[in-house]
Amino acid sequence: MKAAVPLYQDLASRLAGLIRAGTFAAGDRLPSVRQASREHQVSITTVMEAYRSLEDQGIIQARPRSGYYVPPPSLDVSKLPMAARHSKKPIIIAQASIFQSVMDLAENGRVVPFAAAAPDDSIIPSAKLASITNAVLRKSRSDALRYTPPMGRRELRLALSRRLLVAGIKAGPDEIITTQGATEALLLALRATTKRGDLVAVETPTYFGILHLIRDLGLRAIEVPVCTRDGMILGALETALKKHRIAACVVQPNFQNPIGSVMDAAAKKRLAKLSEDHGFAIIEDDVYGELSHDGGRPPSIALYGGNVIHCGSISKTLAPGLRVGWMVPGGWLDEVKRLKTIQCPWNATLSELVVASFLDAGGYDRHLRRIRELYSLQCARTRQAVVRFFPPECRVNQPAGGFVLWLEMPADFDSEAFTVSAVAEGISLVPGTLFSPSGGLKNCFRLSCGFAFGPRTLDAIATLGRLVVRNG
Amino acid sequence: MKAAVPLYQDLASRLAGLIRAGTFAAGDRLPSVRQASREHQVSITTVMEAYRSLEDQGIIQARPRSGYYVPPPSLDVSKLPMAARHSKKPIIIAQASIFQSVMDLAENGRVVPFAAAAPDDSIIPSAKLASITNAVLRKSRSDALRYTPPMGRRELRLALSRRLLVAGIKAGPDEIITTQGATEALLLALRATTKRGDLVAVETPTYFGILHLIRDLGLRAIEVPVCTRDGMILGALETALKKHRIAACVVQPNFQNPIGSVMDAAAKKRLAKLSEDHGFAIIEDDVYGELSHDGGRPPSIALYGGNVIHCGSISKTLAPGLRVGWMVPGGWLDEVKRLKTIQCPWNATLSELVVASFLDAGGYDRHLRRIRELYSLQCARTRQAVVRFFPPECRVNQPAGGFVLWLEMPADFDSEAFTVSAVAEGISLVPGTLFSPSGGLKNCFRLSCGFAFGPRTLDAIATLGRLVVRNG
């Protein structure tokens, strides 16, 4: 005689099957208890018991006042990318010829865009920005269209001085300089803290834009590896500091691009202390800082002291096309102001007033809550598809914030050749070599999850999975 | 017995008296014939005869379908500034400490702003720009807010490729790069055509922003004097070319800032030929090119050949706060693209779409006609006030376009001390030293006429006149 399976267990195993099959994917909300009771013709109590059982098994997650969700695949440490092997010698950064080709793809709307770390249309609050722009132009008229001196509009610097408190930065409006995106801020920070030939510590891997600026300014780089969980490996920095005079250290402490790591308070404090002891500048690139997937905003290193130049922008949170960034140059305020007056003496008045107005009264926090959830979902779904379609030897990070995935393949994998094959299939991505000052990381690549996940994305990941096998 | 003076002669001499007294100033329209007939209680025929008589004497000018106007003071060559004495040796440009103070004043609304060459609120078509911005955001939604790759939005490059035909430049959209104002274009042009230590020929006097870029890039300058009527004195450039290898020559052929001169076709042709014979780049800064006071648009040097990089912007014609400029890099296209991808990889999408739409369908030519007249009027009135309130030994240019006046005082005049006194009286201006790579031109200064002329401006010129006498 077969033992009777309780109704709720039967329902739970059917639901678990649907989740395994992908009917409910990572981030999806399960039907409400009432709806499930109707769909499966069982009592509400049975559904609640089934959901609780699935929750106990970690297959679904309850979110207060929202319902039950399929969580992202759980963290399997053995599957995460490992810290990169790094060179301990100063490097004159090589020119990556493949970069221009990747950039040229950015305008091509037919390509599935895993290359640019750009927010999707669903992230950009275009209706709200349109109504704010309209209101700014109606209210300010030509005042919104005049020259703005290099420090930037005071309205925006005031809004930022309030906003930056959340990141632990106490800076008055006269200690903030607004820039054309974070790139201008990083450029000014590097120029203010270094001279030609100086040595700059960089994370490996790191955002390629930083490496381009360093090369362009005639600086040399020293690699510091990044660990998937904790960010910059400070022991490696300390070793380098024993041998070399380092002028500046560029770091993304919060949701590092491309690794997604976050430095904890102890690590930030230790880095701040190192910068004071050794007299180098910390150039903090914090463009992903507001994009925690669980909502907690990790602080700036500046909260813990140190010689910090903080750089940020609204390109990942509001609208990259407005080109609004900022920096808090700390002890380099006068020098940054001097340099900016030469190379970029006037700021974008209308953009700055629009962003100031959004920060002040546009429901920025509400907006952030919404896009954090979207980014988190897009990352989880893309990652889930990677796990499904890529060979098991592939390692992929599980970012706690931001929206890029970093994939590590076996050592003999050629990501540049792979990128060429992918582009031929109408899919863009960035090969690992661009993230390395020495042209290493050839077996890695980055996928951006800025764009909404849908059938086209799923197909593209499946295609990449096939190409990976062929290139492997 | 007294001979009877004809009625019309009597009226003419009364009107001439009113013009001398300033009741009708340069640029003012005289009352219509009908109105004057009523005001002076004479027949219409008498008024017409009086007006014709005044016109014959050059005291007033007829404009078809518009009426009779007081013309700007006639060109008195003996009163124009002379070409600057210039150094024939390469110069490492000195740092002008007074510059930062002048910049700091730019935000101060209480100062009478003769310093910044900025358009007045009456010049900026703010209502039209607001409605275009509104339409662009409604139509393009988030497409107007996304990243734009370094070449710039295609819509704007297309509009510019049509617009630049008027200046004699034939460039397809893929030969144009849009920039953040003309400053970015000039910076990229200098970087693409020179390397550290190279020699760059510059006009003396010239726009201080150019001198700052040259110094900042580690380049040396060689001075070429500018003549009030014909622009750059090419004989001096030829002399320099015999002794030195010159990598680039920065020139404002049309309505030079601060002299207001225009190079004629023969001079442009000769400079183009020199650049080909000696292999140097011509970096053409044409930001004032559309602002001829009589409406004729002088062409780019590129019309006559030569190795030209053309740079322009809408900062003087539409709205400086949008930060839209451009360049046609000619043979340096790839190198400029490479450099821009490093230092400024993304463009201001919304601003570029708004300007593209204005150029395509916003009545740009009609707008230009209106602002040319305004700028011309503001220059004429400010110049007239200078002639009235300044001592007779002062020389002042009479620009054919643009909106700046260049004043030359006796050799022992100290324009930096004068600037300090002026600022203390709430009036800003730019001392001549900032326009000279060698810190010369101490006896000169620039007054911008970008702002509407009114009683406050008149008072300020009167105050400057008193200060000139005191400083002299």
Side-chain angles (χ1 to χ4, degrees):
Chain A
M1 201 178 98
K2 212 174 74 165
V5 176
L7 269 177
Y8 82 88
Q9 278 192 12
D10 180 55
L11 176 60
S13 69
R14 269 189 287 152
L15 287 170
L18 290 173
I19 290 167
R20 268 195 309 277
T23 306
F24 298 114
D28 279 348
R29 198 166 77 92
L30 268 74
S32 71
V33 171
R34 195 166 301 273
Q35 193 184 339
S37 139
R38 272 199 310 276
E39 284 173 7
H40 299 279
Q41 295 291 314
V42 294
S43 73
I44 283 184
T45 317
T46 302
V47 175
M48 287 180 70
E49 279 176 343
Y51 278 11
R52 277 191 204 122
S53 152
L54 287 169
E55 192 185 5
D56 290 344
Q57 298 167 62
I59 296 171
I60 65 171
Q61 277 177 347
R63 290 193 202 158
R65 287 181 305 283
S66 175
Y68 287 89
Y69 287 80
V70 181
S74 65
L75 195 69
D76 174 0
V77 177
S78 72
K79 286 281 188 176
L80 294 175
M82 291 174 296
R85 256 174 305 160
H86 69 291
S87 160
K88 290 178 187 63
K89 289 183 189 153
I91 297 160
I92 292 168
I93 298 171
Q95 173 92 327
S97 64
I98 203 164
F99 177 70
Q100 194 66 54
S101 333
V102 172
M103 285 294 286
D104 285 343
L105 282 172
E107 256 183 313
N108 188 334
R110 282 164 313 184
V111 165
V112 182
F114 289 127
D120 187 26
D121 287 359
S122 61
I123 301 282
I124 299 173
S126 53
K128 184 88 195 174
L129 283 168
S131 83
I132 287 180
T133 306
N134 209 339
V136 164
L137 283 167
R138 214 168 38 230
K139 188 179 148 224
S140 308
R141 303 184 62 87
S142 48
D143 183 39
L145 298 161
R146 287 195 205 127
Y147 279 114
T148 291
M151 292 277 287
R153 280 294 290 220
R154 199 175 173 81
E155 291 90 334
L156 177 58
R157 291 186 280 115
L158 266 168
L160 286 169
S161 82
R162 286 187 290 264
R163 185 82 220 161
L164 288 171
L165 289 173
V166 183
I169 296 172
K170 286 158 209 77
D174 294 334
E175 296 165 295
I176 298 169
I177 290 179
T178 59
T179 56
Q180 206 208 9
T183 303
E184 194 198 350
L186 292 169
L187 172 56
L188 287 166
L190 283 167
R191 288 202 60 193
T193 58
T194 66
K195 55 182 197 310
R196 291 177 89 77
D198 273 356
L199 205 53
V200 177
V202 293
E203 294 170 297
T204 296
T206 195
Y207 167 52
F208 43 82
I210 292 169
L211 300 178
H212 290 164
L213 291 173
I214 289 173
R215 181 183 61 221
D216 191 50
L217 292 170
L219 303 167
R220 291 170 308 147
I222 187 120
E223 295 187 303
V224 183
V226 178
C227 152
T228 309
R229 275 172 173 283
D230 308 316
M232 181 176 263
I233 296 177
L234 294 175
L237 178 62
E238 282 164 343
T239 305
L241 282 165
K242 276 179 198 140
K243 286 186 90 170
H244 306 286
R245 209 211 136 253
I246 289 174
C249 170
V250 187
V251 57
Q252 298 187 303
N254 303 325
F255 316 119
Q256 202 264 0
N257 173 10
I259 289 287
S261 55
V262 180
M263 290 171 71
D264 64 16
K268 283 171 178 164
K269 203 175 289 183
R270 189 168 150 208
L271 180 55
K273 178 89 169 34
L274 282 175
S275 92
E276 285 165 4
D277 292 350
H278 294 267
F280 64 85
I282 296 171
I283 300 175
E284 173 178 80
D285 175 4
D286 197 38
V287 291
Y288 295 94
E290 306 249 41
L291 295 179
S292 162
H293 290 174
D294 68 9
R297 204 278 186 228
S300 160
I301 296 168
L303 178 62
Y304 306 99
N307 310 315
V308 178
I309 300 184
H310 170 85
C311 306
S313 87
I314 50 93
S315 295
K316 312 300 182 188
T317 56
L318 278 182
L322 291 177
R323 308 313 303 128
V324 171
W326 58 83
M327 61 197 299
V328 184
W332 289 274
L333 180 66
D334 287 341
E335 179 60 5
V336 165
K337 204 173 151 188
R338 189 187 72 79
L339 290 166
K340 187 160 189 324
T341 303
I342 294 163
Q343 74 177 41
C344 187
W346 309 111
N347 281 25
T349 315
L350 178 59
S351 289
E352 295 202 345
L353 289 176
V354 167
V355 172
S357 176
F358 200 111
L359 292 180
D360 277 344
Y364 188 58
D365 282 304
R366 203 163 57 244
H367 167 73
L368 281 180
R369 278 199 297 277
R370 186 178 71 81
I371 66 168
R372 279 169 181 151
E373 199 158 313
L374 279 173
Y375 278 139
S376 164
L377 192 66
Q378 286 164 205
C379 281
R381 289 195 168 172
T382 312
R383 189 173 191 277
Q384 198 176 39
V386 165
V387 169
R388 180 167 158 204
F389 291 111
F390 276 48
E393 61 271 25
C394 164
R395 290 162 176 270
V396 53
N397 70 332
Q398 185 158 6
F403 53 92
V404 300
L405 293 181
W406 180 248
L407 289 87
E408 188 185 306
M409 308 301 294
D412 59 349
F413 185 81
D414 179 350
S415 65
E416 296 199 353
F418 173 66
T419 304
V420 173
S421 318
V423 167
E425 299 275 350
I427 304 166
S428 72
L429 53 87
V430 188
T433 43
L434 293 190
F435 296 86
S436 157
S438 55
L441 303 171
K442 203 167 184 173
N443 61 320
C444 302
F445 57 93
R446 188 188 79 174
L447 299 181
S448 163
C449 310
F451 282 76
F453 192 90
R456 194 164 161 243
T457 337
L458 190 71
D459 282 355
I461 295 288
T463 305
L464 290 181
R466 280 196 303 278
L467 291 177
V468 159
V469 173
R470 202 188 303 159
N471 277 260
Chain B
M1 204 174 99
K2 209 170 76 166
V5 176
L7 270 176
Y8 81 89
Q9 279 190 12
D10 180 55
L11 176 58
S13 69
R14 268 190 286 152
L15 287 169
L18 290 173
I19 290 167
R20 269 195 307 277
T23 306
F24 299 114
D28 279 347
R29 197 165 76 92
L30 269 73
S32 70
V33 172
R34 195 167 301 274
Q35 193 184 340
S37 139
R38 273 199 308 276
E39 285 173 7
H40 298 279
Q41 296 291 314
V42 293
S43 73
I44 285 183
T45 317
T46 302
V47 175
M48 286 179 70
E49 280 176 342
Y51 278 11
R52 278 190 205 123
S53 151
L54 287 169
E55 191 185 5
D56 290 344
Q57 299 168 62
I59 296 171
I60 64 172
Q61 276 176 345
R63 291 193 202 160
R65 286 181 305 282
S66 175
Y68 286 88
Y69 287 80
V70 181
S74 64
L75 197 69
D76 174 358
V77 177
S78 72
K79 284 281 189 177
L80 294 176
M82 291 174 293
R85 256 173 305 161
H86 68 291
S87 160
K88 289 178 186 63
K89 291 184 189 152
I91 297 160
I92 293 168
I93 298 171
Q95 172 93 329
S97 65
I98 204 164
F99 178 69
Q100 194 66 54
S101 335
V102 171
M103 285 293 286
D104 286 343
L105 282 173
E107 258 183 312
N108 188 335
R110 282 164 311 184
V111 166
V112 182
F114 290 127
D120 188 25
D121 287 359
S122 61
I123 302 283
I124 298 174
S126 53
K128 184 88 196 173
L129 283 167
S131 82
I132 287 180
T133 306
N134 212 338
V136 164
L137 282 167
R138 212 166 42 229
K139 188 180 147 224
S140 308
R141 303 184 60 89
S142 47
D143 183 39
L145 297 161
R146 286 195 205 127
Y147 279 114
T148 291
M151 292 276 289
R153 279 295 287 221
R154 198 173 174 80
E155 291 90 332
L156 178 58
R157 291 185 281 118
L158 266 168
L160 286 169
S161 82
R162 287 188 288 264
R163 184 81 219 160
L164 289 170
L165 289 172
V166 183
I169 296 173
K170 286 157 210 77
D174 294 334
E175 296 166 294
I176 298 169
I177 290 179
T178 58
T179 56
Q180 206 207 9
T183 302
E184 194 198 351
L186 292 168
L187 172 55
L188 288 166
L190 282 166
R191 288 203 59 194
T193 57
T194 65
K195 53 181 198 309
R196 292 179 89 79
D198 273 356
L199 206 52
V200 177
V202 293
E203 294 170 298
T204 297
T206 195
Y207 168 53
F208 42 83
I210 292 168
L211 299 178
H212 289 166
L213 291 173
I214 289 173
R215 181 183 59 220
D216 191 50
L217 292 170
L219 303 166
R220 292 169 307 146
I222 188 121
E223 294 186 304
V224 183
V226 178
C227 150
T228 309
R229 276 173 173 281
D230 308 316
M232 182 177 263
I233 297 176
L234 294 175
L237 178 63
E238 282 163 343
T239 306
L241 283 165
K242 276 178 198 141
K243 288 186 89 168
H244 306 286
R245 209 210 135 256
I246 289 174
C249 170
V250 188
V251 58
Q252 298 187 304
N254 303 324
F255 317 119
Q256 202 263 1
N257 173 10
I259 289 288
S261 55
V262 180
M263 289 170 72
D264 64 16
K268 284 172 178 163
K269 203 175 289 182
R270 189 168 150 207
L271 180 54
K273 179 85 170 38
L274 283 174
S275 91
E276 285 163 3
D277 293 349
H278 294 266
F280 64 85
I282 296 170
I283 300 175
E284 173 179 79
D285 175 4
D286 197 37
V287 291
Y288 295 94
E290 306 249 41
L291 295 179
S292 160
H293 291 173
D294 69 9
R297 206 274 188 230
S300 160
I301 296 169
L303 177 63
Y304 306 98
N307 310 316
V308 178
I309 300 185
H310 170 86
C311 306
S313 87
I314 51 93
S315 295
K316 312 300 183 189
T317 56
L318 278 182
L322 292 177
R323 308 312 303 129
V324 172
W326 58 83
M327 61 197 300
V328 184
W332 289 274
L333 180 66
D334 288 340
E335 179 60 5
V336 165
K337 204 174 150 187
R338 189 186 71 78
L339 290 167
K340 187 159 188 329
T341 303
I342 295 164
Q343 75 176 42
C344 188
W346 310 111
N347 280 26
T349 315
L350 178 59
S351 290
E352 295 201 347
L353 289 175
V354 167
V355 173
S357 175
F358 200 110
L359 292 180
D360 276 344
Y364 188 57
D365 282 303
R366 203 164 55 244
H367 167 72
L368 281 181
R369 278 199 297 276
R370 186 179 71 81
I371 66 167
R372 279 168 180 150
E373 200 158 313
L374 278 173
Y375 278 139
S376 163
L377 192 66
Q378 286 164 203
C379 281
R381 290 199 168 168
T382 312
R383 189 175 190 278
Q384 196 177 40
V386 165
V387 168
R388 179 166 160 205
F389 290 111
F390 277 48
E393 60 273 25
C394 163
R395 291 161 175 270
V396 54
N397 70 331
Q398 186 158 5
F403 53 93
V404 300
L405 293 181
W406 180 248
L407 289 89
E408 188 185 307
M409 308 300 295
D412 59 349
F413 186 80
D414 179 350
S415 64
E416 296 200 354
F418 174 65
T419 304
V420 173
S421 320
V423 167
E425 299 275 349
I427 304 165
S428 72
L429 53 87
V430 188
T433 42
L434 293 190
F435 297 85
S436 157
S438 55
L441 304 171
K442 202 165 183 172
N443 61 320
C444 302
F445 57 93
R446 189 189 79 174
L447 299 181
S448 163
C449 310
F451 283 77
F453 193 91
R456 194 164 161 245
T457 339
L458 191 71
D459 282 354
I461 295 288
T463 304
L464 290 181
R466 280 196 303 277
L467 291 177
V468 159
V469 173
R470 202 187 302 159
N471 279 259

